[in-house]
Amino acid sequence: MAESRRELERALSPLSEWLVDAFPDGSILTDCSFKIIHCNRALAELTGFHQNELEGLELDRLVSDSQSHILESLKKKIQFRNRKWVHQSLHLKCRNGTTVPCTFSFTSKVSEEGHPDHYYIIVRERITANGHNYSNSTDTTFQLLLDNIPLA
């Protein structure tokens, strides 16, 4: 395990994991290199993986291979957008080999030095006819909690 990951894991408060666990949608906490540190049961149910199988994976492993270039571009876009949400439609890979169209909502936590510390990601299955199911009110609630959780 990389030293930076160990430092981040030590720095995370129990409230950070609670924030991820509390959301009804799939929620992910990654380190600054997009390696999954923690995820919730909703994500595990959506993918068919166990939570402990997801933790430690690179986020790229959960996105359709045909969309990996979109994810790479998105990673660069959100790197320094401290606590501002970016939404992207992507296909989530499932354990059984299928993919599920989802909306991924990303936000980052940037350190005082201006470097990304980690990322919170909400994954929602797209269920509406127009492909949009994310709710600004959900993002606002998540943001309010995020802003008030002490993170290193």
Side-chain angles (χ1 to χ4, degrees):
M1 184 177 346
E3 184 61 31
S4 63
R5 180 177 169 162
R6 273 186 260 156
E7 289 173 14
L8 180 60
E9 288 172 340
R10 280 192 298 263
L12 290 173
S13 71
L15 289 175
S16 297
E17 290 187 4
W18 174 85
L19 176 64
V20 170
D21 291 337
F23 268 77
D25 299 309
S27 298
I28 303 169
L29 174 66
T30 73
D31 65 14
C32 60
S33 65
F34 291 91
K35 184 175 281 191
I36 299 171
I37 295 171
H38 188 71
C39 62
N40 68 358
R41 185 177 305 165
L43 183 73
E45 289 173 4
L46 186 58
T47 62
F49 289 101
H50 295 282
Q51 282 178 267
N52 62 349
E53 292 176 306
L54 293 167
E55 293 170 358
L57 287 181
E58 299 290 335
L59 183 64
D60 304 45
R61 301 270 314 269
L62 294 181
V63 174
S64 169
D65 295 339
S66 66
Q67 294 183 317
S68 60
H69 65 285
I70 297 171
L71 182 60
E72 287 307 311
S73 175
L74 186 63
K75 286 178 182 180
K76 291 175 183 151
K77 180 179 180 180
I78 66 168
Q79 250 183 341
F80 300 103
R81 292 180 53 102
N82 192 25
R83 297 186 184 217
K84 292 183 174 75
W85 291 97
V86 175
H87 307 283
Q88 180 67 52
S89 294
L90 294 167
H91 285 85
L92 180 71
K93 283 189 204 175
C94 297
R95 179 184 203 122
N96 65 7
T98 63
T99 60
V100 177
C102 292
T103 299
F104 284 62
S105 299
F106 295 81
T107 191
S108 63
K109 168 66 171 74
V110 176
S111 70
E112 290 179 13
E113 294 82 29
H115 304 290
D117 282 338
H118 53 273
Y119 301 92
Y120 286 97
I121 304 157
I122 300 173
V123 181
R124 297 177 186 94
E125 188 173 6
R126 285 197 320 245
I127 54 175
T128 61
N130 65 5
H132 297 287
N133 70 338
Y134 58 84
S135 160
N136 286 336
S137 64
T138 300
D139 289 348
T140 301
T141 303
F142 196 94
Q143 190 69 50
L144 181 63
L145 290 169
L146 180 64
D147 288 343
N148 289 290
I149 290 178
L151 298 171

